[in-house]
Coordinates of all heavy atoms in Angstrom, one line a residue:
V17 N -140.8 91.6 109.1 CA -140.7 92.3 107.8 C -139.2 92.3 107.4 O -138.4 93.1 108.2 CB -141.4 93.6 107.7 CG1 -141.2 94.3 106.4 CG2 -142.8 93.6 108.1
T142 N -134.2 43.2 113.3 CA -133.1 43.5 114.2 C -132.4 44.8 113.8 O -132.4 45.2 112.8 CB -132.1 42.2 114.2 OG1 -131.0 42.5 115.0 CG2 -131.6 42.0 112.7
G161 N -134.3 22.0 101.3 CA -134.9 22.8 100.2 C -134.2 24.0 99.9 O -133.2 24.2 100.5
R168 N -134.3 44.4 104.0 CA -134.7 45.8 103.8 C -134.5 46.6 105.1 O -134.7 46.1 106.2 CB -136.1 46.0 103.3 CG -136.3 45.6 101.8 CD -137.6 45.9 101.3 NE -137.8 45.7 99.8 CZ -138.9 45.7 99.2 NH1 -140.0 45.8 99.8 NH2 -138.8 45.5 97.7

Side-chain angles (χ1 to χ4, degrees):
V17 177
T142 178
R168 283 183 174 173

